[in-house]
Amino acid sequence: MGKLVVLKLGQGNLNTGFSVTLQISSEGEHPYFESNGQLPPAPELAVAYTQWQISYRHSLQGNLRITFPQTQVTNISKRDLFPECDRLSFQLHKQVNLWLNSPQFRPLKEQLLEKLNTEESIRILLQTEDNQLRRIPLHLWDFFERYPQAEMALSSNNYERKSKSQPPKSHVKILAILGDSTGINIQKDRVLLEQLPNAEVTFLVEPQRQLLNDELWLQEWDILFFAGHSFTKSETEIGYFHINSTDSLTITELKNALVKAIAQGLQLAIFNSCDGLGLATNLADLHIPQMIVMREPVPDKVAQEFLKNFLTEFSDGKPLYQSVREARMKLQGLENDFPCASWLPVICQNPAEIPP
């Protein structure tokens, strides 16, 4: 039986630090261990992340599943920016480990090392409302090198389990939205989904809002998939996804239909598109069980490779978290051309639900 680790962060930010409550339980059971601790102020981590993010986004202009404002486009060759992005990624990696291995947090880390087995499956939920911290790739913590079957997910401090009746099914029903494809190739996403065994996939290609709304209401879906352009407005943390070449939607604009879909058994939403944490935060408010998003703008090739690797692992019967971890780590093979590709995919989890 796998283990569930919850790191619940109290009020705070990287400039003030956080109180931390650690809980450990066997999967599906009440916690058998709880302890309290602290994460110290880490302004250097905040600076390292901001510097890396700026360099990363400049290095990847073009061929992304996002549209940047024109003011962000530069004449600098993205190839020239790779060494700077690599240097700043090293600094961010270093600052993540300095923070999570700090003396203030060490007692909780030692309790994790004492109580967890390196051979067991481990889900680690980071419960925080701090938007900047949710963006930082904390899977760079050296703890994960010791635990090859551990994967971190983001979750909210506010959650609820929605009761739903789900009779056994012989196949998985997927609603796949293929949105605005300007400048990218999302037909590869379609081919990969069409090859899935034991799956019934309905494709909506650049749909109008009314059609998407109706499909969510009319049928019982297990998985909602989106490929296309998306982005998060940093000042509001609201996510937008372009369902066609002229229309973008927020989660709020589909709220009633999504609430209905979740009540009818929707288990997983996958946004194989850019900068999806805003969408994940907004969808978590509706208490969906699980989501997979990209924490930053994602190159087209990286999105395609992640989907291919994830579907291969997941359709072979591996647990969701293991499938995401392996698919994410395989992206390192693309990092000569796409820096930090393996940092991008992240699970967002409703703590009240147990993933497949």
Side-chain angles (χ1 to χ4, degrees):
M1 181 180 290
K3 295 289 175 61
L4 172 64
V5 173
V6 178
L7 293 169
K8 185 172 183 177
L9 276 55
Q11 290 294 319
N13 55 54
L14 288 173
N15 290 316
T16 63
F18 299 91
S19 62
V20 185
T21 299
L22 165 65
Q23 292 182 335
I24 305 176
S25 61
S26 295
E27 198 67 86
E29 298 183 1
H30 293 296
Y32 61 80
F33 177 83
E34 182 172 310
S35 184
N36 294 310
Q38 294 286 327
L39 276 165
E44 299 88 353
L45 176 56
V47 170
Y49 166 72
T50 301
Q51 291 178 338
W52 168 80
Q53 185 193 48
I54 292 170
S55 178
Y56 170 78
R57 291 189 174 208
H58 280 171
S59 72
L60 294 178
Q61 290 290 348
N63 202 32
L64 293 171
R65 297 193 171 191
I66 192 171
T67 302
F68 285 109
Q70 285 301 310
T71 54
Q72 295 186 22
V73 178
T74 73
N75 292 322
I76 302 172
S77 164
K78 68 178 184 179
R79 175 67 64 180
D80 294 339
L81 287 163
F82 282 8
E84 179 69 359
C85 188
D86 288 341
R87 183 184 70 81
L88 293 171
S89 67
F90 175 81
Q91 289 300 319
L92 179 53
H93 193 153
K94 177 182 176 182
Q95 290 298 329
V96 165
N97 280 281
L98 285 173
W99 192 48
L100 293 174
N101 294 327
S102 63
Q104 295 93 324
F105 191 66
R106 186 174 297 136
L108 292 187
K109 180 182 179 181
E110 289 177 351
Q111 288 162 344
L112 286 171
L113 296 175
E114 175 189 340
K115 298 184 180 301
L116 297 176
N117 188 315
T118 58
E119 296 180 0
E120 61 191 350
S121 175
I122 304 167
R123 295 193 298 125
I124 299 180
L125 301 190
L126 179 71
Q127 279 187 263
T128 178
E129 304 302 327
D130 186 86
N131 290 324
Q132 184 178 43
L133 185 58
R134 290 167 68 88
R135 285 187 169 274
I136 294 175
L138 297 182
H139 67 267
L140 299 174
W141 187 20
D142 57 17
F143 169 89
F144 290 98
E145 296 175 8
R146 296 189 185 204
Y147 293 89
Q149 296 191 66
E151 181 72 348
M152 179 176 280
L154 303 175
S155 66
S156 172
N157 289 328
N158 303 304
Y159 58 89
E160 178 182 347
R161 185 169 188 238
K162 295 293 187 180
S163 60
K164 42 192 173 288
S165 57
Q166 282 190 293
K169 296 180 180 179
S170 59
H171 59 274
V172 175
K173 289 190 66 175
I174 302 173
L175 179 61
I177 308 162
L178 304 181
D180 179 22
S181 60
T182 304
I184 59 175
N185 180 8
I186 57 177
Q187 285 306 306
K188 289 191 176 181
D189 299 59
R190 177 170 188 151
V191 170
L192 291 167
L193 290 170
E194 288 174 336
Q195 294 172 348
L196 270 179
N198 303 316
E200 178 186 329
V201 187
T202 298
F203 292 97
L204 300 182
V205 181
E206 298 203 23
Q208 297 299 308
R209 175 179 176 179
Q210 183 66 54
L211 176 59
L212 173 55
N213 184 81
D214 290 348
E215 286 292 340
L216 287 168
W217 273 95
L218 291 173
Q219 298 194 51
E220 296 180 1
W221 304 103
D222 301 298
I223 297 175
L224 175 66
F225 175 86
F226 173 78
H229 292 289
S230 64
F231 66 97
T232 297
K233 281 192 174 179
S234 58
E235 62 272 19
T236 60
E237 288 300 319
I238 294 175
Y240 295 78
F241 59 110
H242 293 269
I243 57 171
N244 55 52
S245 60
T246 57
D247 299 317
S248 64
L249 291 180
T250 65
I251 297 300
T252 300
E253 290 172 313
L254 284 174
K255 178 179 178 179
N256 293 344
L258 288 166
V259 168
K260 178 69 172 179
I262 293 166
Q264 293 187 134
L266 181 64
Q267 288 289 307
L268 173 65
I270 303 172
F271 285 90
N272 201 27
S273 57
C274 283
D275 197 17
L277 282 175
L279 291 166
T281 299
N282 306 149
L283 196 48
D285 291 340
L286 308 184
H287 309 297
I288 189 171
Q290 290 88 211
M291 293 163 282
I292 301 171
V293 301
M294 299 292 179
R295 68 173 85 235
E296 295 287 345
V298 59
D300 207 22
K301 174 68 172 175
V302 174
Q304 293 161 2
E305 284 297 305
F306 173 76
L307 181 63
K308 180 185 74 174
N309 294 332
F310 169 72
L311 292 177
T312 298
E313 302 291 340
F314 195 48
S315 65
D316 200 35
K318 287 190 177 178
L320 177 73
Y321 279 60
Q322 288 295 324
S323 300
V324 170
R325 174 174 171 137
E326 294 199 17
R328 178 178 60 73
M329 293 180 71
K330 286 179 181 177
L331 295 177
Q332 189 178 46
L334 300 177
E335 290 182 350
N336 274 353
D337 296 316
F338 305 105
C340 305
S342 61
W343 294 13
L344 302 180
V346 61
I347 301 169
C348 298
Q349 177 72 47
N350 181 339
E353 302 279 359
I354 299 175

